[in-house]
Amino acid sequence: GTGSGCIACTIAKQTNAVVLGVDISSDALRIALDNVTKLGINNRAVFRKSNLYSAVRAEEKFDMIISNPPYIESSIIPTLQREVREYEPMLALDGGEDGLDFYRTIIEQAPKFLDKKGILVLEIGYNQAEEISAMLEETDAFAKTEIVRDYGGNNRVVCALLK
């Protein structure tokens, strides 16, 4: 889910890329479209209502798929800081029982939508790198994976290169 479009808009603004952002939330898409207008990047960052890949056409192929999906375990959500629980939409937080529900679908379907040598980039929870890397290896569709740490030294992103 693109949410406010922050990642999509930044990529479109800072590069020559044309970016497609998808989200299941109409409210999120309205915010993303407002951000496109404010940044003056119309036709460079476009948005579509979609539940992950559901509204992405089979013939659409991408150099990169970047996702920051919900990754918090359902049972952990009540223990989060009050500000997070009150201001973040539940759709943006709840990654299912083990926090990995969205990764399973994203990883499984990504090869259908990536160009050859395309890259999958996934923001992750600090403790999910090994499990997500294993999911990527199990698909046998990716040639190489890399884990990137954030400024706090935590595992934060998993990148995978399509074979």
Side-chain angles (χ1 to χ4, degrees):
T2 197
S4 68
C6 178
I7 294 171
C9 288
T10 300
I11 291 169
K13 184 83 172 167
Q14 299 294 322
T15 71
N16 290 324
V18 176
V19 181
L20 170 64
V22 299
D23 205 293
I24 196 168
S25 166
S26 296
D27 290 338
L29 290 169
R30 276 191 285 281
I31 293 167
L33 289 169
D34 285 347
N35 287 331
V36 164
T37 302
K38 288 175 187 172
L39 293 168
I41 52 173
N42 297 24
N43 300 322
R44 300 257 326 285
V46 295
F47 298 96
R48 186 180 302 161
K49 187 164 186 169
S50 183
N51 183 1
L52 298 176
Y53 301 103
S54 67
V56 179
R57 295 182 294 275
E59 68 273 8
E60 290 180 302
K61 301 289 182 195
F62 303 92
D63 297 322
M64 296 182 90
I65 295 174
I66 302 171
S67 183
N68 177 12
Y71 56 76
I72 299 172
E73 297 170 29
S74 300
S75 63
I76 301 293
I77 291 173
T79 70
L80 296 174
Q81 293 175 321
R82 182 178 55 86
E83 294 80 10
V84 174
R85 290 190 323 268
E86 290 180 6
Y87 296 107
E88 286 292 327
M90 192 58 60
L91 279 173
L93 298 174
D94 194 343
E97 186 176 324
D98 63 358
L100 302 173
D101 286 357
F102 289 93
Y103 296 103
R104 289 182 184 93
T105 303
I106 293 166
I107 291 168
E108 176 188 315
Q109 294 184 24
K112 293 186 261 185
F113 296 101
L114 283 169
D115 277 330
K116 283 194 177 216
K117 302 291 181 182
I119 300 169
L120 178 61
V121 179
L122 301 168
E123 183 170 336
I124 61 169
Y126 73 95
N127 61 347
Q128 297 172 326
E130 287 183 26
E131 289 174 283
I132 292 169
S133 294
M135 282 186 222
L136 288 159
E137 290 173 18
E138 287 171 13
T139 68
D140 199 37
F142 296 93
K144 177 182 171 185
T145 61
E146 180 180 346
I147 299 168
V148 180
R149 294 182 184 274
D150 63 17
Y151 291 125
N154 297 306
N155 293 330
R156 186 57 58 202
V157 174
V158 176
C159 303
L161 176 66
L162 190 68
K163 287 183 180 176

